[in-house]
C-alpha cells in the first residue's frame, strides 16, 4: 500500500486533526481542486480553486489556502460573497524578488470567509494571482482547510514519491510546473530581450538596403529602355530625310 503524508492543517485546531483520525469526515465524491491558466516556469498565472460541496452536507463558511514557500507573494481576487485576508509570516532569511526588492515576509495563507454560508448543493470558485517559480518539473501543493457550519475537511494529503493522488482521501490541490516556452510564456532575461531587439533592427536595416538596391536597378533599366526608344526614333527620322 502506498504511504500517505498528511500536512499539518494550516493552524487548524487539534479537534480537526482528531476528526480526521477518527474518520468522521467521509470520503468526498469530488475534491477541492485548483486549475491554473498557465503552468510555465516563471509565468504569472491565475489559480482557480473550486469548492464543489460542503462538509458532509454542512454549508461552507471558510476556505483557508496555504501557499507553498516557493511562492512568497499572492494577489487574491475579490469575491462578493466572501471577505479575504492574507496571513503573513516572517522569512528566516530575506529573499530578493524579480524587481530587486528585498522581501522579509511572505504570504503563508489566504483565507476566504463567507458572508453567508455556501450551501452544500452549490459550488463556488476562488482565484489567486501568483508568479510560478523557475522550477520546471516541480509539483507545488496548496493544502486547503474547508470549514463548515458543522465540522471541517482538511484537503492536505500529498502523495509520496511514486504514489497516486487517487489513493488519497483528501488530497491537497497541486500544480505541476512545466518548461517555459518561446511563445511568451514564462520570462526571459533583459540580455535576451536586448539581443532580440538588435537582431530585429539589423534585419530591418538589411531589408531597407535591399529595397534601395532594387529601386536603383529598376530605375537604371527604365533609363536604358528610354534611351533605346529615343535612339530608334532619331534613326527613323534621319532615314526618312535621306
Amino acid at each position: 500500500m502506498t504511504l500517505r503524508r498528511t500536512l499539518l492543517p494550516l493552524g487548524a485546531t487539534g479537534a480537526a486533526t482528531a476528526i480526521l483520525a477518527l474518520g468522521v469526515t467521509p470520503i468526498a465524491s469530488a475534491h477541492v481542486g485548483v486549475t491554473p491558466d498557465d503552468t510555465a516556469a516563471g509565468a504569472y498565472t491565475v489559480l482557480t480553486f473550486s469548492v464543489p460541496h460542503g462538509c458532509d452536507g454542512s454549508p461552507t463558511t471558510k476556505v483557508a489556502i496555504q501557499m507553498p514557500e516557493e511562492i512568497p507573494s499572492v494577489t487574491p481576487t475579490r469575491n462578493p460573497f466572501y471577505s479575504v485576508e492574507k496571513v503573513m509570516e516572517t522569512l528566516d532569511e530575506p529573499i530578493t524578488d524579480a524587481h530587486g526588492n528585498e522581501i522579509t515576509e511572505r504570504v503563508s495563507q489566504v483565507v476566504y470567509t463567507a458572508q453567508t454560508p455556501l450551501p452544500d448543493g452549490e459550488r463556488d470558485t476562488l482565484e489567486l494571482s501568483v508568479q510560478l517559480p523557475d522550477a520546471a518539473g516541480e509539483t507545488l501543493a496548496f493544502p486547503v482547510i474547508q470549514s463548515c457550519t458543522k465540522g471541517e475537511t482538511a484537503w492536505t494529503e500529498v502523495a509520496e514519491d511514486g504514489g497516486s493522488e487517487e489513493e488519497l482521501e483528501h488530497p491537497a490541490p497541486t500544480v505541476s510546473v512545466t518548461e517555459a516556452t518561446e511563445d511568451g510564456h514564462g520570462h526571459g532575461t533583459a540580455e535576451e530581450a536586448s539581443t532580440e531587439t538588435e537582431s530585429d533592427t539589423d534585419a530591418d536595416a538589411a531589408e531597407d538596403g535591399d529595397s534601395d538596391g532594387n529601386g536603383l536597378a529598376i530605375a537604371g533599366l527604365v533609363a536604358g529602355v528610354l534611351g533605346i526608344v529615343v535612339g530608334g526614333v532619331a534613326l527613323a527620322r534621319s532615314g526618312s530625310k535621306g
Side-chain angles (χ1 to χ4, degrees), residues 13-74:
T13 62
T17 305
I19 290 174
L20 289 176
L22 294 174
V24 174
T25 304
I27 298 176
S29 58
H31 306 314
V32 170
V34 61
T35 303
D37 65 2
D38 195 345
T39 59
Y44 287 92
T45 185
V46 174
L47 306 176
T48 302
F49 291 82
S50 60
V51 183
H53 54 72
C55 309
D56 194 21
S58 180
T60 299
T61 58
K62 183 169 63 177
V63 178
I65 304 168
Q66 180 173 332
M67 304 302 298
E69 293 182 358
E70 296 85 346
I71 300 178
S73 62
V74 57

Short mmCIF file of all heavy atoms in Angstrom, two decimals, residues 13-74:
data_model
loop_
_atom_site.label_atom_id
_atom_site.label_comp_id
_atom_site.label_asym_id
_atom_site.label_seq_id
_atom_site.Cartn_x
_atom_site.Cartn_y
_atom_site.Cartn_z
N THR A 13 -7.45 23.78 14.44
CA THR A 13 -7.46 23.32 15.83
C THR A 13 -7.13 21.85 15.90
O THR A 13 -7.24 21.10 14.94
CB THR A 13 -8.85 23.55 16.44
OG1 THR A 13 -9.80 22.78 15.71
CG2 THR A 13 -9.23 25.03 16.36
N GLY A 14 -6.72 21.41 17.10
CA GLY A 14 -6.44 19.99 17.30
C GLY A 14 -7.67 19.15 17.09
O GLY A 14 -7.58 17.97 16.76
N ALA A 15 -8.85 19.74 17.29
CA ALA A 15 -10.08 18.99 17.09
C ALA A 15 -10.21 18.53 15.66
O ALA A 15 -10.71 17.44 15.38
CB ALA A 15 -11.28 19.86 17.48
N ALA A 16 -9.74 19.36 14.71
CA ALA A 16 -9.83 18.98 13.30
C ALA A 16 -8.99 17.75 13.04
O ALA A 16 -9.39 16.84 12.31
CB ALA A 16 -9.34 20.13 12.43
N THR A 17 -7.79 17.69 13.64
CA THR A 17 -6.92 16.53 13.46
C THR A 17 -7.57 15.29 14.04
O THR A 17 -7.51 14.20 13.47
CB THR A 17 -5.57 16.78 14.15
OG1 THR A 17 -5.01 17.99 13.66
CG2 THR A 17 -4.61 15.64 13.88
N ALA A 18 -8.24 15.46 15.17
CA ALA A 18 -8.91 14.33 15.80
C ALA A 18 -10.05 13.82 14.92
O ALA A 18 -10.27 12.62 14.81
CB ALA A 18 -9.45 14.76 17.17
N ILE A 19 -10.76 14.75 14.28
CA ILE A 19 -11.86 14.35 13.40
C ILE A 19 -11.34 13.49 12.28
O ILE A 19 -11.92 12.45 11.93
CB ILE A 19 -12.57 15.60 12.84
CG1 ILE A 19 -13.34 16.29 13.96
CG2 ILE A 19 -13.52 15.23 11.72
CD1 ILE A 19 -13.96 17.61 13.53
N LEU A 20 -10.21 13.90 11.67
CA LEU A 20 -9.64 13.13 10.58
C LEU A 20 -9.17 11.77 11.06
O LEU A 20 -9.38 10.75 10.39
CB LEU A 20 -8.45 13.89 9.96
CG LEU A 20 -8.81 15.14 9.16
CD1 LEU A 20 -7.53 15.84 8.70
CD2 LEU A 20 -9.67 14.79 7.95
N ALA A 21 -8.54 11.73 12.23
CA ALA A 21 -8.03 10.47 12.75
C ALA A 21 -9.15 9.48 13.03
O ALA A 21 -9.01 8.28 12.83
CB ALA A 21 -7.22 10.73 14.03
N LEU A 22 -10.28 9.98 13.48
CA LEU A 22 -11.42 9.11 13.78
C LEU A 22 -12.23 8.75 12.56
O LEU A 22 -13.13 7.92 12.63
CB LEU A 22 -12.33 9.82 14.80
CG LEU A 22 -11.72 10.04 16.19
CD1 LEU A 22 -12.67 10.87 17.05
CD2 LEU A 22 -11.43 8.70 16.86
N GLY A 23 -11.90 9.41 11.42
CA GLY A 23 -12.62 9.09 10.20
C GLY A 23 -14.02 9.63 10.16
O GLY A 23 -14.88 9.10 9.46
N VAL A 24 -14.30 10.69 10.92
CA VAL A 24 -15.65 11.24 10.95
C VAL A 24 -15.99 11.90 9.62
O VAL A 24 -17.11 11.80 9.15
CB VAL A 24 -15.78 12.26 12.11
CG1 VAL A 24 -17.13 12.95 12.07
CG2 VAL A 24 -15.58 11.55 13.44
N THR A 25 -14.99 12.59 9.01
CA THR A 25 -15.25 13.23 7.73
C THR A 25 -15.24 12.18 6.63
O THR A 25 -14.25 11.48 6.44
CB THR A 25 -14.16 14.28 7.43
OG1 THR A 25 -14.12 15.20 8.51
CG2 THR A 25 -14.45 15.01 6.13
N PRO A 26 -16.33 12.01 5.88
CA PRO A 26 -16.41 10.95 4.89
C PRO A 26 -15.61 11.28 3.64
O PRO A 26 -15.23 12.42 3.40
CB PRO A 26 -17.91 10.93 4.56
CG PRO A 26 -18.34 12.34 4.76
CD PRO A 26 -17.54 12.84 5.93
N ILE A 27 -15.35 10.26 2.82
CA ILE A 27 -14.68 10.46 1.55
C ILE A 27 -15.62 11.24 0.63
O ILE A 27 -16.77 10.89 0.44
CB ILE A 27 -14.32 9.11 0.90
CG1 ILE A 27 -13.33 8.36 1.81
CG2 ILE A 27 -13.73 9.30 -0.48
CD1 ILE A 27 -12.99 6.98 1.32
N ALA A 28 -15.11 12.34 0.07
CA ALA A 28 -15.95 13.19 -0.77
C ALA A 28 -16.03 12.64 -2.17
O ALA A 28 -15.12 11.98 -2.67
CB ALA A 28 -15.35 14.60 -0.80
N SER A 29 -17.15 12.90 -2.84
CA SER A 29 -17.33 12.45 -4.22
C SER A 29 -16.56 13.33 -5.18
O SER A 29 -16.28 12.95 -6.30
CB SER A 29 -18.83 12.45 -4.57
OG SER A 29 -19.35 13.76 -4.40
N ALA A 30 -16.23 14.55 -4.76
CA ALA A 30 -15.43 15.47 -5.57
C ALA A 30 -14.54 16.25 -4.62
O ALA A 30 -14.93 16.62 -3.53
CB ALA A 30 -16.34 16.40 -6.35
N HIS A 31 -13.31 16.51 -5.08
CA HIS A 31 -12.33 17.16 -4.22
C HIS A 31 -12.30 18.67 -4.46
O HIS A 31 -12.67 19.16 -5.50
CB HIS A 31 -10.94 16.60 -4.48
CG HIS A 31 -10.85 15.11 -4.36
ND1 HIS A 31 -11.40 14.41 -3.31
CD2 HIS A 31 -10.26 14.18 -5.17
CE1 HIS A 31 -11.15 13.13 -3.46
NE2 HIS A 31 -10.47 12.96 -4.59
N VAL A 32 -11.79 19.40 -3.46
CA VAL A 32 -11.42 20.79 -3.68
C VAL A 32 -10.17 20.75 -4.57
O VAL A 32 -9.19 20.09 -4.25
CB VAL A 32 -11.11 21.50 -2.35
CG1 VAL A 32 -10.48 22.86 -2.62
CG2 VAL A 32 -12.38 21.67 -1.53
N GLY A 33 -10.22 21.42 -5.71
CA GLY A 33 -9.12 21.35 -6.67
C GLY A 33 -8.68 22.72 -7.14
O GLY A 33 -9.28 23.75 -6.79
N VAL A 34 -7.62 22.75 -7.95
CA VAL A 34 -7.11 24.01 -8.48
C VAL A 34 -6.82 23.85 -9.96
O VAL A 34 -6.33 22.82 -10.41
CB VAL A 34 -5.82 24.45 -7.73
CG1 VAL A 34 -4.70 23.43 -7.87
CG2 VAL A 34 -5.35 25.81 -8.24
N THR A 35 -7.14 24.91 -10.73
CA THR A 35 -6.89 24.93 -12.17
C THR A 35 -6.09 26.19 -12.50
O THR A 35 -6.60 27.30 -12.33
CB THR A 35 -8.21 24.92 -12.96
OG1 THR A 35 -8.98 23.78 -12.60
CG2 THR A 35 -7.93 24.90 -14.46
N PRO A 36 -4.85 26.05 -12.98
CA PRO A 36 -4.05 27.22 -13.37
C PRO A 36 -4.32 27.59 -14.82
O PRO A 36 -4.61 26.72 -15.64
CB PRO A 36 -2.62 26.73 -13.19
CG PRO A 36 -2.70 25.26 -13.47
CD PRO A 36 -4.07 24.81 -13.02
N ASP A 37 -4.24 28.89 -15.16
CA ASP A 37 -4.40 29.26 -16.57
C ASP A 37 -3.06 29.24 -17.30
O ASP A 37 -3.01 29.39 -18.53
CB ASP A 37 -5.09 30.62 -16.72
CG ASP A 37 -4.26 31.78 -16.16
OD1 ASP A 37 -3.14 31.55 -15.69
OD2 ASP A 37 -4.76 32.92 -16.19
N ASP A 38 -1.97 29.02 -16.56
CA ASP A 38 -0.65 28.85 -17.17
C ASP A 38 0.20 28.09 -16.17
O ASP A 38 0.11 28.30 -14.96
CB ASP A 38 -0.02 30.22 -17.48
CG ASP A 38 1.17 30.12 -18.44
OD1 ASP A 38 1.68 28.99 -18.63
OD2 ASP A 38 1.57 31.15 -19.00
N THR A 39 1.03 27.16 -16.67
CA THR A 39 1.87 26.37 -15.77
C THR A 39 3.36 26.53 -16.07
O THR A 39 4.19 25.85 -15.47
CB THR A 39 1.51 24.88 -15.88
OG1 THR A 39 1.70 24.44 -17.25
CG2 THR A 39 0.08 24.62 -15.46
N ALA A 40 3.72 27.43 -17.00
CA ALA A 40 5.11 27.59 -17.40
C ALA A 40 5.97 28.16 -16.28
O ALA A 40 5.53 29.05 -15.54
CB ALA A 40 5.21 28.48 -18.64
N ALA A 41 7.17 27.66 -16.14
CA ALA A 41 8.09 28.15 -15.12
C ALA A 41 8.31 29.65 -15.26
O ALA A 41 8.57 30.15 -16.35
CB ALA A 41 9.43 27.42 -15.24
N GLY A 42 8.15 30.38 -14.16
CA GLY A 42 8.34 31.82 -14.16
C GLY A 42 7.15 32.62 -14.64
O GLY A 42 7.18 33.85 -14.62
N ALA A 43 6.08 31.95 -15.06
CA ALA A 43 4.92 32.66 -15.62
C ALA A 43 4.03 33.22 -14.52
O ALA A 43 3.96 32.69 -13.41
CB ALA A 43 4.11 31.72 -16.50
N TYR A 44 3.35 34.31 -14.84
CA TYR A 44 2.29 34.83 -13.98
C TYR A 44 1.01 34.07 -14.34
O TYR A 44 0.68 33.95 -15.53
CB TYR A 44 2.09 36.32 -14.17
CG TYR A 44 3.20 37.15 -13.56
CD1 TYR A 44 4.32 37.52 -14.32
CD2 TYR A 44 3.15 37.54 -12.23
CE1 TYR A 44 5.35 38.25 -13.75
CE2 TYR A 44 4.18 38.28 -11.65
CZ TYR A 44 5.27 38.64 -12.42
OH TYR A 44 6.29 39.36 -11.85
N THR A 45 0.33 33.56 -13.35
CA THR A 45 -0.83 32.71 -13.61
C THR A 45 -1.93 32.99 -12.61
O THR A 45 -1.68 33.51 -11.51
CB THR A 45 -0.43 31.22 -13.53
OG1 THR A 45 -1.54 30.39 -13.89
CG2 THR A 45 0.01 30.85 -12.12
N VAL A 46 -3.16 32.68 -12.98
CA VAL A 46 -4.30 32.78 -12.07
C VAL A 46 -4.71 31.36 -11.68
O VAL A 46 -5.01 30.53 -12.55
CB VAL A 46 -5.49 33.52 -12.72
CG1 VAL A 46 -6.71 33.47 -11.79
CG2 VAL A 46 -5.12 34.96 -13.03
N LEU A 47 -4.68 31.09 -10.39
CA LEU A 47 -5.07 29.77 -9.88
C LEU A 47 -6.53 29.83 -9.44
O LEU A 47 -6.90 30.65 -8.60
CB LEU A 47 -4.19 29.40 -8.68
CG LEU A 47 -2.67 29.45 -8.90
CD1 LEU A 47 -1.96 29.13 -7.59
CD2 LEU A 47 -2.25 28.48 -9.99
N THR A 48 -7.35 28.98 -10.02
CA THR A 48 -8.78 28.95 -9.69
C THR A 48 -9.06 27.73 -8.81
O THR A 48 -8.95 26.58 -9.26
CB THR A 48 -9.64 28.89 -10.96
OG1 THR A 48 -9.35 30.03 -11.78
CG2 THR A 48 -11.12 28.88 -10.61
N PHE A 49 -9.40 27.98 -7.56
CA PHE A 49 -9.74 26.91 -6.62
C PHE A 49 -11.25 26.69 -6.64
O PHE A 49 -12.02 27.64 -6.51
CB PHE A 49 -9.28 27.26 -5.21
CG PHE A 49 -7.79 27.27 -5.04
CD1 PHE A 49 -7.04 28.38 -5.43
CD2 PHE A 49 -7.12 26.17 -4.53
CE1 PHE A 49 -5.66 28.40 -5.29
CE2 PHE A 49 -5.73 26.18 -4.39
CZ PHE A 49 -5.01 27.29 -4.78
N SER A 50 -11.66 25.44 -6.78
CA SER A 50 -13.09 25.13 -6.82
C SER A 50 -13.51 24.45 -5.51
O SER A 50 -12.79 23.59 -4.99
CB SER A 50 -13.40 24.21 -8.00
OG SER A 50 -12.68 22.99 -7.90
N VAL A 51 -14.65 24.86 -5.00
CA VAL A 51 -15.23 24.27 -3.80
C VAL A 51 -16.55 23.63 -4.23
O VAL A 51 -17.56 24.32 -4.39
CB VAL A 51 -15.47 25.33 -2.71
CG1 VAL A 51 -16.01 24.68 -1.43
CG2 VAL A 51 -14.18 26.10 -2.41
N PRO A 52 -16.57 22.31 -4.45
CA PRO A 52 -17.73 21.67 -5.07
C PRO A 52 -18.86 21.29 -4.13
O PRO A 52 -19.98 21.02 -4.57
CB PRO A 52 -17.12 20.42 -5.71
CG PRO A 52 -15.99 20.07 -4.81
CD PRO A 52 -15.44 21.38 -4.31
N HIS A 53 -18.60 21.26 -2.82
CA HIS A 53 -19.64 20.82 -1.87
C HIS A 53 -19.24 21.21 -0.46
O HIS A 53 -18.13 21.71 -0.23
CB HIS A 53 -19.82 19.30 -1.95
CG HIS A 53 -18.53 18.55 -1.79
ND1 HIS A 53 -17.88 18.43 -0.59
CD2 HIS A 53 -17.76 17.90 -2.69
CE1 HIS A 53 -16.78 17.73 -0.74
NE2 HIS A 53 -16.66 17.41 -2.02
N GLY A 54 -20.12 20.96 0.49
CA GLY A 54 -19.83 21.29 1.88
C GLY A 54 -19.15 20.15 2.61
O GLY A 54 -18.52 19.27 1.99
N CYS A 55 -19.25 20.15 3.92
CA CYS A 55 -18.65 19.11 4.75
C CYS A 55 -19.76 18.16 5.23
O CYS A 55 -20.51 18.49 6.16
CB CYS A 55 -17.95 19.71 5.97
SG CYS A 55 -16.78 21.04 5.57
N ASP A 56 -19.86 17.03 4.56
CA ASP A 56 -20.88 16.05 4.94
C ASP A 56 -22.27 16.68 5.00
O ASP A 56 -23.03 16.47 5.94
CB ASP A 56 -20.52 15.41 6.28
CG ASP A 56 -21.34 14.15 6.56
OD1 ASP A 56 -21.88 13.56 5.60
OD2 ASP A 56 -21.46 13.77 7.74
N GLY A 57 -22.55 17.53 3.99
CA GLY A 57 -23.87 18.16 3.91
C GLY A 57 -23.96 19.51 4.59
O GLY A 57 -24.95 20.22 4.43
N SER A 58 -22.92 19.89 5.32
CA SER A 58 -22.95 21.17 6.05
C SER A 58 -22.41 22.29 5.16
O SER A 58 -21.41 22.12 4.45
CB SER A 58 -22.11 21.06 7.32
OG SER A 58 -22.13 22.28 8.04
N PRO A 59 -23.04 23.48 5.18
CA PRO A 59 -22.61 24.62 4.35
C PRO A 59 -21.19 25.09 4.69
O PRO A 59 -20.76 25.05 5.84
CB PRO A 59 -23.64 25.71 4.68
CG PRO A 59 -24.83 24.98 5.19
CD PRO A 59 -24.28 23.80 5.93
N THR A 60 -20.46 25.55 3.66
CA THR A 60 -19.10 26.03 3.82
C THR A 60 -19.08 27.46 4.35
O THR A 60 -19.78 28.33 3.83
CB THR A 60 -18.35 25.97 2.48
OG1 THR A 60 -18.31 24.62 2.02
CG2 THR A 60 -16.94 26.50 2.61
N THR A 61 -18.28 27.70 5.37
CA THR A 61 -18.18 29.04 5.95
C THR A 61 -16.82 29.71 5.71
O THR A 61 -16.71 30.93 5.74
CB THR A 61 -18.42 28.98 7.47
OG1 THR A 61 -17.46 28.09 8.06
CG2 THR A 61 -19.83 28.49 7.78
N LYS A 62 -15.77 28.92 5.49
CA LYS A 62 -14.43 29.48 5.32
C LYS A 62 -13.55 28.53 4.53
O LYS A 62 -13.66 27.31 4.68
CB LYS A 62 -13.81 29.79 6.69
CG LYS A 62 -12.44 30.46 6.63
CD LYS A 62 -12.01 30.98 8.00
CE LYS A 62 -11.84 29.88 9.01
NZ LYS A 62 -11.34 30.40 10.31
N VAL A 63 -12.69 29.11 3.69
CA VAL A 63 -11.72 28.32 2.92
C VAL A 63 -10.34 28.95 3.13
O VAL A 63 -10.11 30.11 2.76
CB VAL A 63 -12.07 28.30 1.41
CG1 VAL A 63 -11.01 27.53 0.63
CG2 VAL A 63 -13.45 27.70 1.19
N ALA A 64 -9.43 28.22 3.76
CA ALA A 64 -8.07 28.70 4.02
C ALA A 64 -7.10 27.96 3.11
O ALA A 64 -6.99 26.73 3.16
CB ALA A 64 -7.70 28.48 5.49
N ILE A 65 -6.40 28.71 2.26
CA ILE A 65 -5.49 28.12 1.28
C ILE A 65 -4.05 28.40 1.71
O ILE A 65 -3.64 29.55 1.85
CB ILE A 65 -5.74 28.73 -0.12
CG1 ILE A 65 -7.20 28.56 -0.51
CG2 ILE A 65 -4.81 28.09 -1.15
CD1 ILE A 65 -7.59 29.37 -1.74
N GLN A 66 -3.28 27.35 1.93
CA GLN A 66 -1.87 27.51 2.32
C GLN A 66 -1.01 27.66 1.07
O GLN A 66 -1.15 26.92 0.10
CB GLN A 66 -1.39 26.31 3.12
CG GLN A 66 0.05 26.42 3.57
CD GLN A 66 0.45 25.29 4.51
OE1 GLN A 66 -0.38 24.75 5.23
NE2 GLN A 66 1.72 24.94 4.50
N MET A 67 -0.10 28.64 1.10
CA MET A 67 0.76 28.91 -0.04
C MET A 67 2.11 28.21 0.15
O MET A 67 2.68 28.24 1.24
CB MET A 67 0.99 30.41 -0.18
CG MET A 67 -0.29 31.24 -0.31
SD MET A 67 -1.31 30.71 -1.71
CE MET A 67 -0.20 31.05 -3.08
N PRO A 68 2.64 27.58 -0.91
CA PRO A 68 3.96 26.94 -0.81
C PRO A 68 5.06 27.99 -0.64
O PRO A 68 4.90 29.15 -1.06
CB PRO A 68 4.09 26.20 -2.15
CG PRO A 68 3.17 26.91 -3.07
CD PRO A 68 2.03 27.39 -2.25
N GLU A 69 6.16 27.61 -0.03
CA GLU A 69 7.25 28.54 0.23
C GLU A 69 7.84 29.11 -1.06
O GLU A 69 8.41 30.21 -1.06
CB GLU A 69 8.34 27.85 1.04
CG GLU A 69 7.91 27.47 2.45
CD GLU A 69 9.04 26.82 3.24
OE1 GLU A 69 10.13 26.65 2.65
OE2 GLU A 69 8.82 26.51 4.42
N GLU A 70 7.70 28.37 -2.18
CA GLU A 70 8.26 28.83 -3.45
C GLU A 70 7.51 30.04 -4.01
O GLU A 70 7.98 30.69 -4.95
CB GLU A 70 8.24 27.70 -4.48
CG GLU A 70 9.11 26.52 -4.16
CD GLU A 70 8.42 25.50 -3.25
OE1 GLU A 70 7.37 25.83 -2.65
OE2 GLU A 70 8.94 24.38 -3.14
N ILE A 71 6.33 30.33 -3.45
CA ILE A 71 5.54 31.49 -3.90
C ILE A 71 5.39 32.45 -2.72
O ILE A 71 4.51 32.27 -1.87
CB ILE A 71 4.16 31.05 -4.42
CG1 ILE A 71 4.33 30.10 -5.61
CG2 ILE A 71 3.32 32.26 -4.82
CD1 ILE A 71 3.03 29.57 -6.17
N PRO A 72 6.23 33.48 -2.63
CA PRO A 72 6.21 34.36 -1.45
C PRO A 72 5.08 35.39 -1.45
O PRO A 72 4.69 35.88 -0.40
CB PRO A 72 7.57 35.06 -1.51
CG PRO A 72 7.92 35.07 -2.96
CD PRO A 72 7.37 33.79 -3.52
N SER A 73 4.57 35.75 -2.64
CA SER A 73 3.53 36.78 -2.69
C SER A 73 2.36 36.29 -3.54
O SER A 73 2.51 35.45 -4.43
CB SER A 73 4.08 38.09 -3.26
OG SER A 73 4.54 37.90 -4.59
N VAL A 74 1.19 36.84 -3.26
CA VAL A 74 -0.03 36.44 -3.96
C VAL A 74 -1.01 37.60 -3.96
O VAL A 74 -1.06 38.38 -3.00
CB VAL A 74 -0.65 35.18 -3.30
CG1 VAL A 74 -0.93 35.44 -1.83
CG2 VAL A 74 -1.94 34.77 -4.00
#
